[in-house]
């Protein structure tokens, strides 16, 4: 088992591309932890005002290109099927740390013979959404994290006590980038566990898929996977 990384606290400039439930929840947690956070979304810009107010003095909003210019670390939290559309408006992210929260999910509204609202897991050509991002964002430092449980559970977990922390697995090829993401996982109230290189990203996506299968088979929602160390 790879050891959990421990690093010195560092204040970061963080940009949120996709301030939905995951992006918005982490934006508030990181702003309250002392980081400078700028959020964006693809919809009505005024919808960000309540989120920015909750973030306090460390929070702000901007257009996607402004977020990229501002941030050293970017949380990329958009729907898989909208990835290309969003990336086309961002410009270069060379040298920046990009945290990928995506899973390769497609809804079935437009697929004949399937029930509307269901989700289908795809297999990206590069093997995972993170590896697809790495292909598109040459020079960016991609780290996979925050993908393997649903947004509703992440929101609830940030409101729980310290005695009930969730495990967040991460993977990536850049060690320094992973060290910084480890700090952000801890600053948002979770326990980081290193899952290896970026080539492990498809395993974390399959962990998300397993969560859905367990949820449906057992009619459970409020559960998550964790690491237990045996003595």
């Amino acid at each position: 088992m790879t050891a959990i990384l421990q690093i010195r606290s560092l204040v970061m400039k963080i940009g949120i591309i996709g301030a939905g439930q995951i992006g918005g929840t982490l934006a508030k947690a990181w702003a309250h932890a002392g980081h400078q956070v700028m959020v964006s979304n693809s919809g009505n810009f005024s919808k960000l005002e309540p989120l920015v107010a909750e973030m306090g003095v460390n929070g702000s909003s901007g257009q996607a290109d402004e977020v990229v210019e501002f941030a050293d670390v970017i949380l990329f939290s958009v729907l898989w099927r909208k990835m290309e559309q969003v990336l086309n408006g961002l410009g270069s992210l060379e040298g920046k740390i990009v945290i990928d929260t995506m899973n390769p999910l497609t809804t079935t509204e437009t697929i004949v013979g399937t029930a509307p609202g269901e989700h289908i897991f795809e297999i990206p050509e590069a093997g995972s959404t993170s590896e697809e991002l790495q292909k598109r964002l040459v020079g960016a430092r991609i780290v996979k994290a925050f993908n393997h449980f649903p947004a509703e559970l992440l929101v609830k977990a940030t409101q729980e006590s310290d005695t009930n922390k969730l495990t967040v697995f991460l993977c990536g090829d850049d060690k320094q980038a992973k060290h910084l993401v480890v700090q952000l996982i801890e600053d948002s109230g979770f326990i980081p566990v290193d899952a290896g290189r970026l080539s492990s990203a498809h395993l974390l996506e399959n962990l998300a898929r397993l969560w859905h299968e367990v949820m449906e088979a057992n009619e459970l929602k409020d559960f998550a996977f964790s690491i237990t160390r045996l003595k």
Side-chain angles (χ1 to χ4, degrees):
M1 183 188 304
T2 304
I4 295 175
L5 301 170
Q6 301 292 334
I7 64 169
R8 178 177 57 85
S9 179
L10 178 71
V11 175
M12 304 180 215
K13 289 185 176 181
I14 304 168
I16 309 292
I17 303 294
Q21 278 191 300
I22 293 176
T25 299
L26 292 175
K28 287 185 286 186
W30 290 333
H32 295 163
H35 300 290
Q36 298 177 49
V37 184
M38 181 180 287
V39 297
S40 72
N41 65 11
S42 58
N44 187 339
F45 205 63
S46 63
K47 290 183 178 180
L48 293 173
E49 292 176 1
L51 173 60
V52 172
E54 288 187 75
M55 291 162 62
V57 295
N58 290 324
S60 62
S61 62
Q63 300 294 341
D65 58 342
E66 295 175 316
V67 168
V68 170
E69 180 67 23
F70 164 83
D72 299 313
V73 180
I74 293 172
L75 184 81
F76 192 82
S77 189
V78 305
L79 295 175
W80 161 241
R81 67 180 182 274
K82 293 186 176 180
M83 183 189 77
E84 289 292 339
Q85 175 187 341
V86 174
L87 288 178
N88 288 336
L90 294 186
S92 174
L93 277 73
E94 184 173 0
K96 295 183 184 291
I97 298 171
V98 179
I99 305 171
D100 169 31
T101 74
M102 292 186 295
N103 285 308
L105 285 168
T106 299
T107 55
T108 58
E109 278 81 358
T110 59
I111 302 177
V112 176
T114 60
E118 292 184 356
H119 292 87
I120 294 177
F121 273 81
E122 299 179 349
I123 300 178
E125 183 177 343
S128 67
T129 65
S130 299
E131 289 164 298
E132 288 289 347
L133 266 182
Q134 189 67 83
K135 282 173 57 179
R136 289 282 278 104
L137 300 177
V138 177
R141 304 151 72 190
I142 309 297
V143 178
K144 184 80 167 186
F146 296 107
N147 76 294
H148 53 85
F149 42 73
E152 296 83 358
L153 189 59
L154 183 142
V155 173
K156 182 176 180 179
T158 58
Q159 301 166 350
E160 295 286 339
S161 67
D162 290 342
T163 60
N164 194 26
K165 290 185 177 181
L166 293 185
T167 296
V168 172
F169 297 96
L170 68 149
C171 66
D173 293 335
D174 188 304
K175 290 184 178 180
Q176 184 186 31
K178 284 203 293 185
H179 283 208
L180 294 176
V181 174
V182 161
Q183 181 189 330
L184 291 177
I185 292 171
E186 292 175 337
D187 287 348
S188 55
F190 301 103
I191 301 172
V193 174
D194 191 340
R197 298 183 63 84
L198 196 65
S199 57
S200 296
H202 75 283
L203 299 176
L204 299 189
E205 292 168 5
N206 279 324
L207 191 60
R209 184 175 185 178
L210 177 61
W211 189 96
H212 282 278
E213 295 294 333
V214 172
M215 180 269 292
E216 291 182 355
N218 297 276
E219 297 184 354
L220 294 173
K221 288 188 177 181
D222 294 338
F223 75 96
F225 303 114
S226 65
I227 293 290
T228 300
R229 292 182 173 178
L230 303 179
K231 296 181 179 180

